[in-house]
Amino acid sequence: MRKLLVFGASGLVGKALVEECKGSFDVYGTYATRPVDLPEEKQFQLEIRDMDKMKEIVQSIKPDSIISCLRGDFDQQLEFHRELALEIENTESVLYYFSTANVFDGDFTKHHSEEDTPNASSPYGQFKIECENMLQEVLKERAVMIRIPQIWGKKSPRLDQIRSGIENNSIDAYSNLECNHLTDEFLAKQLKYIILHKLSGVFHLGAVDMMSQDRFIEELVSILTDKEIEVHYRLLQDTPDTYYFGLKSIRNDLPESLLKTNSEMIANVVGSS
């Protein structure tokens, strides 16, 4: 079995990846404070500042594929990934790096595809661009960029916030923000396919259609409760203009079974939750 190492395996996305991939790969994972659902010998406690331990883990496992879904201080993340890239530079390991739609948050005039040049105004988006560029410079085609929109899941903080809003009969939503969404489970399935089929380059993952944020929230709430919930409609940046913040894809690598709509994402989030 090919070896897969997941940095950040205890987070929302990391847990979904471990669960989805452990039948197809020999999976290893790291965690910051809470152990993950893996045999004891296949999980490692790791602080993002501990470069030496990161290198020890990589050297001992010799993974075929590495997924990074780490979070934390931007400077520490950048240094971690620089050291990781240098550590595997002369190996055959492939790194799958989670980036974000925020690499385009400097231009809300259109939805963006993989062929568009990143343009970020936020510190988060700028950090992700810097990390993407550094990884591609060091690892070339062995650095695969996975750009994702907002992630939802049955145990996600975003869903908890919606449930709290239902209890308090008050939910905020933007009426002029058009975007797409993704769930932890669908993301894990898509990335497993990408790894198994050794696909490379930049990927924009997310629902295949776009939906205004208020409509997405309304549809989600209507499934979660029969109560009439007061939705406070807000304008992004206090202007009536429509802001486009979706990740669209011009690639045709993924099978039809892995291409889902926003409504299907909602059904996945609330199903058996």
Side-chain angles (χ1 to χ4, degrees):
M1 265 184 146
R2 291 159 62 186
K3 293 181 179 179
L4 172 64
L5 172 60
V6 181
F7 283 111
S10 59
L12 176 71
V13 170
K15 288 179 180 177
L17 286 164
V18 168
E19 182 62 29
E20 179 66 32
C21 292
K22 61 186 179 182
S24 302
F25 301 92
D26 184 13
V27 178
Y28 299 78
T30 72
Y31 64 92
T33 56
R34 295 186 300 276
V36 296
D37 186 20
L38 285 170
E40 185 175 349
E41 68 274 13
K42 293 189 177 183
Q43 56 180 302
F44 309 87
Q45 196 278 333
L46 178 67
E47 297 291 338
I48 197 168
R49 296 181 297 273
D50 196 343
M51 306 297 175
D52 290 338
K53 187 168 184 180
M54 175 270 287
K55 294 175 184 179
E56 289 175 8
I57 292 170
V58 172
Q59 291 168 8
S60 65
I61 296 172
K62 296 180 174 58
D64 300 286
S65 302
I66 299 172
I67 301 173
S68 175
C69 41
L70 289 171
R71 299 166 62 185
D73 176 82
F74 296 166
D75 289 338
Q76 290 179 1
Q77 283 195 64
L78 185 62
E79 183 62 19
F80 180 96
H81 288 97
R82 180 179 289 110
E83 291 298 316
L84 173 60
L86 292 173
E87 179 64 30
I88 66 173
E89 182 179 12
N90 297 315
T91 72
E92 295 183 358
S93 298
V94 178
L95 175 61
Y96 299 84
Y97 176 70
F98 279 115
S99 190
T100 172
N102 287 84
V103 299
F104 298 108
D105 65 19
D107 179 11
F108 290 102
T109 63
K110 65 175 184 177
H111 302 303
H112 291 277
S113 73
E114 293 95 347
E115 66 182 1
D116 290 329
T117 301
N119 175 8
S121 61
S122 70
Y124 179 53
Q126 291 169 357
F127 148 67
K128 285 292 189 178
I129 292 174
E130 186 176 3
C131 207
E132 281 189 17
N133 291 339
M134 178 272 296
L135 291 173
Q136 290 171 324
E137 180 179 347
V138 176
L139 297 175
K140 308 298 189 290
E141 71 278 357
R142 289 189 296 113
V144 183
M145 301 298 111
I146 309 294
R147 294 181 184 144
I148 54 177
Q150 282 193 348
I151 301 296
W152 295 76
K154 296 179 178 66
K155 297 182 179 180
S156 65
R158 288 190 174 95
L159 186 60
D160 290 341
Q161 188 175 19
I162 294 297
R163 287 201 168 103
S164 177
I166 290 173
E167 290 179 8
N168 297 317
N169 193 32
S170 179
I171 294 177
D172 292 337
Y174 288 113
S175 59
N176 65 336
L177 176 62
E178 188 177 281
C179 53
N180 55 350
H181 303 79
L182 186 58
T183 71
D184 54 348
E185 293 181 2
F186 281 136
L187 170 56
K189 292 179 186 298
Q190 291 172 331
L191 185 51
K192 182 177 78 170
Y193 184 93
I194 290 169
I195 298 173
L196 283 173
H197 291 81
K198 299 182 180 181
L199 304 178
S200 61
V202 177
F203 287 85
H204 283 190
L205 302 183
V208 294
D209 62 337
M210 301 296 168
M211 183 181 285
S212 63
Q213 194 207 36
D214 58 350
R215 183 181 158 205
F216 184 89
I217 297 300
E218 288 169 351
E219 190 169 325
L220 178 59
V221 169
S222 70
I223 298 175
L224 289 172
T225 182
D226 293 329
K227 292 167 52 180
E228 287 292 330
I229 304 299
E230 183 177 359
V231 178
H232 301 283
Y233 298 99
R234 302 189 182 279
L235 293 175
L236 187 65
Q237 298 187 8
D238 295 322
T239 70
D241 302 329
T242 299
Y243 290 81
Y244 301 96
F245 195 44
L247 289 174
K248 64 180 184 179
S249 181
I250 58 172
R251 304 188 61 145
N252 58 4
D253 310 80
L254 298 180
E256 194 72 25
S257 61
L258 293 181
L259 303 178
K260 304 295 181 179
T261 64
N262 279 293
S263 293
E264 288 174 305
M265 299 296 173
I266 292 171
N268 179 245
V269 168
V270 300
S272 302
S273 62

